C-alpha cells in the first residue's frame, strides 16, 4: 500500500475500567479525586478532569471482576484510524471495528491487542462536550471550574502497563506499529530493554512499559495518571487523602521523568492512580533516549521520598488489561 502520509497517534485518550464496587469507585474518582462526570449512559459513567476537553478520559462500569476493558489513543487525522487498521491487519494483528456510538461521545474506532494481550483502541472522532452552566469555567480555554472539589487534577497524563513477559514485545510493537518514541529506558545486563517510557507527544511519556516475573499476567495495568499543576498540589492531595483515611505512597520525586508523584489505590476497582506533577517536556526532534542501568534503578525510580519498589502493599497490585476483546461496553 502507498500512503501520502503515514498514520499517526496524537495523544492518550482514555481508559475504560470495570469495577467490582462501582459505588466506591464513583465516590473515589468524583468526590475525592474531583473528576467531573460528563454523563451516564446504560450504566457506564464517563468522567474527565477540569482541563480535559474530550467527552471522557475515564469510564467506569460495574462488573464481577475488576479489569481494564481497553486503553484508548486518539489519532491525528480521521483517516488514520482506517490506515492503522490496514497496517495492523497486514501485520496479522486481529482488528475489531467498533461502530460510532458504542462508546458514548465517540465515533468509529478499532480495537486490537498487543502481543502480550493488552487491549488497545484507536479513534479520532470524540465529542468535546461543554460543561453544564453550574460547573462551566468562566475561562474559555478550560472546561470546568478548577478546584471545585477534591484533589482536582488538571488533565489525564499517562498510563503504565505491566507484563510478566519480555517488555520488548510491547516496546517494539509500540515503536514499529504505532509510532511511539522511546524517551528513557532501563538496559538489562543482557543488553535488552527491561522497562521504557515512550511518547508520541512532547510529554516525557504517554505510556510506560514495565516487566517483572512478579506481575500476575502478561497483560496488566500498573497505573493510570492524572496531572496536577505543581508540587504544592501533590502536598494538598496528601492532606485530602489523609483526611479521608487513605494510605498512599509519596509524595516523592522520580529520577526518570523528574516528576513529583503520589500513588493511591481506588477502593472500588483496585486500580492504582498516580497523581503526577512537574516532569519535563521533550521538544528536540533528535532526542536521544536516556539509558539507565539496573544498578541505577533505586536512584532512577525514586530520586527522593518514599521508595516505590516493595515498600508497601500499594506497590504490588496490578489490574488485568487484556483478555477477550469485545465491542460491548
Amino acid at each position: 500500500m502507498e500512503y501520502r502520509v503515514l498514520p499517526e497517534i496524537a495523544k492518550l485518550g482514555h481508559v475504560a475500567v470495570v469495577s467490582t464496587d462501582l459505588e466506591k469507585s464513583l465516590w473515589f474518582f468524583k468526590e475525592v479525586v474531583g473528576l467531573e462526570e460528563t454523563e451516564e449512559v446504560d450504566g457506564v459513567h464517563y468522567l474527565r478532569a477540569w482541563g480535559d476537553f474530550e467527552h471522557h478520559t475515564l469510564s467506569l462500569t460495574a462488573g464481577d471482576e475488576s479489569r481494564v476493558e481497553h486503553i484508548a489513543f486518539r489519532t491525528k487525522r480521521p483517516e488514520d484510524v482506517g490506515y492503522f487498521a490496514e497496517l495492523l491487519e497486514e501485520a496479522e494483528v486481529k482488528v475489531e471495528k467498533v461502530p460510532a456510538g458504542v462508546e458514548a461521545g465517540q465515533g468509529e474506532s478499532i480495537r486490537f491487542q498487543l502481543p502480550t494481550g493488552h487491549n488497545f483502541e484507536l479513534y479520532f472522532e470524540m465529542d468535546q462536550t461543554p460543561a453544564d452552566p453550574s460547573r462551566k469555567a468562566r475561562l474559555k480555554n478550560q472546561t470546568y471550574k478548577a478546584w471545585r472539589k477534591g484533589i482536582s487534577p488538571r488533565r489525564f497524563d499517562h498510563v503504565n502497563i505491566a507484563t510478566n513477559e519480555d517488555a520488548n514485545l510491547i516496546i517494539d510493537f509500540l515503536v514499529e506499529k504505532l509510532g511511539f518514541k522511546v524517551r528513557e529506558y532501563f538496559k538489562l545486563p543482557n543488553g535488552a530493554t527491561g522497562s521504557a517510557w515512550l511518547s508520541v507527544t512532547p510529554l516525557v511519556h504517554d505510556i510506560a512499559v514495565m516487566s517483572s516475573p512478579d506481575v500476575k499476567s502478561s497483560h496488566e495495568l500498573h497505573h493510570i495518571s492524572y496531572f496536577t499543576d505543581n508540587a504544592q498540589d501533590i502536598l494538598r492531595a496528601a492532606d485530602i487523602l489523609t483526611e479521608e483515611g487513605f494510605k498512599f505512597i509519596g509524595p516523592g520525586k522520580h529520577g526518570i521523568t523528574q516528576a513529583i508523584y503520589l500513588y493511591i489505590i481506588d477502593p472500588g476497582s483496585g486500580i492504582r492512580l498516580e497523581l503526577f506533577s512537574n516532569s519535563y517536556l521533550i521538544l528536540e526532534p533528535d532526542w536521544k533516549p536516556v539509558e539507565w542501568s539496573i544498578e541505577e534503578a533505586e536512584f532512577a525510580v525514586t530520586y527522593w521520598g518514599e521508595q516505590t519498589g516493595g515498600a508497601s502493599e500499594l506497590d504490588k497490585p496490578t489490574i488485568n488489561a487484556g483478555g477477550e476483546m469485545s465491542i460491548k461496553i
Side-chain angles (χ1 to χ4, degrees):
M1 290 180 296
E2 293 184 3
Y3 301 125
R4 186 174 62 181
V5 179
L6 287 173
E8 295 179 87
I9 292 174
K11 63 165 193 156
L12 175 65
H14 59 269
V15 172
V17 174
V18 178
S19 174
T20 54
D21 193 329
L22 179 60
E23 184 176 350
K24 275 187 179 179
S25 290
L26 287 171
W27 168 75
F28 174 73
F29 281 107
K30 291 172 63 176
E31 303 305 322
V32 180
V33 180
L35 299 187
E36 301 283 356
E37 184 166 353
T38 311
E39 62 176 331
E40 180 270 324
V41 181
D42 297 330
V44 185
H45 297 259
Y46 295 95
L47 312 177
R48 57 185 174 176
W50 58 262
D52 287 326
F53 291 93
E54 291 192 11
H55 180 271
H56 60 282
T57 52
L58 175 68
S59 68
L60 294 168
T61 189
D64 295 332
E65 179 185 11
S66 290
R67 60 187 176 85
V68 173
E69 187 179 68
H70 63 265
I71 299 167
F73 291 84
R74 190 180 187 197
T75 64
K76 281 196 173 181
R77 295 167 290 269
E79 60 270 23
D80 285 348
V81 176
Y83 287 168
F84 270 119
E86 293 179 33
L87 291 173
L88 289 167
E89 287 171 341
E90 282 188 349
E92 300 184 343
V93 176
K94 181 182 177 182
V95 174
E96 288 189 1
K97 297 180 180 179
V98 184
V102 169
E103 189 167 351
Q106 182 173 286
E108 294 181 357
S109 66
I110 60 170
R111 293 184 189 169
F112 56 93
Q113 291 186 334
L114 304 188
T116 47
H118 291 85
N119 290 338
F120 268 36
E121 178 179 68
L122 298 180
Y123 69 93
F124 177 80
E125 300 291 346
M126 176 69 81
D127 293 345
Q128 293 193 355
T129 310
D132 61 71
S134 66
R135 296 182 289 164
K136 185 179 184 298
R138 295 182 69 182
L139 287 169
K140 293 183 177 181
N141 50 14
Q142 73 182 50
T143 309
Y144 296 97
K145 299 172 183 176
W147 306 106
R148 200 174 74 87
K149 60 179 178 178
I151 294 166
S152 196
R154 174 182 286 269
R155 58 170 175 78
F156 195 33
D157 191 85
H158 67 266
V159 294
N160 183 313
I161 61 177
T163 184
N164 57 18
E165 296 188 9
D166 183 355
N168 294 277
L169 292 171
I170 302 174
I171 296 165
D172 292 346
F173 188 96
L174 293 175
V175 171
E176 296 168 8
K177 302 294 190 296
L178 301 180
F180 282 82
K181 295 180 180 179
V182 176
R183 304 306 196 177
E184 303 198 44
Y185 69 99
F186 274 122
K187 186 176 182 179
L188 301 177
N190 64 4
T193 300
S195 299
W197 289 254
L198 307 94
S199 69
V200 290
T201 68
L203 298 180
V204 66
H205 67 318
D206 301 303
I207 186 169
V209 179
M210 58 181 289
S211 174
S212 170
D214 297 329
V215 173
K216 291 182 289 186
S217 78
S218 65
H219 41 73
E220 299 287 313
L221 177 91
H222 186 269
H223 66 260
I224 65 173
S225 178
Y226 278 84
F227 181 86
T228 67
D229 281 345
N230 53 57
Q232 183 62 43
D233 295 342
I234 302 293
L235 299 180
R236 177 177 174 273
D239 280 346
I240 292 171
L241 292 170
T242 299
E243 287 287 351
E244 294 291 350
F246 281 97
K247 300 294 183 184
F248 50 87
I249 290 177
K253 181 174 181 176
H254 293 308
I256 294 172
T257 76
Q258 300 184 28
I260 308 297
Y261 64 80
L262 183 152
Y263 292 96
I264 180 69
I265 301 293
D266 164 31
S269 69
I271 197 171
R272 181 190 286 102
L273 169 69
E274 180 185 29
L275 299 169
F276 188 87
S277 189
N278 291 44
S279 191
Y280 67 93
L281 298 177
I282 295 174
L283 303 176
E284 308 306 325
D286 56 350
W287 177 264
K288 303 294 189 298
V290 177
E291 178 184 304
W292 298 83
S293 69
I294 293 302
E295 291 73 26
E296 298 170 310
E298 184 174 326
F299 176 85
V301 173
T302 307
Y303 184 58
W304 53 257
E306 185 177 352
Q307 291 293 326
T308 59
S312 164
E313 289 297 314
L314 285 171
D315 281 315
K316 298 177 182 178
T318 57
I319 186 168
N320 191 288
E324 291 297 320
M325 290 188 296
S326 172
I327 63 171
K328 296 179 181 179
I329 296 181

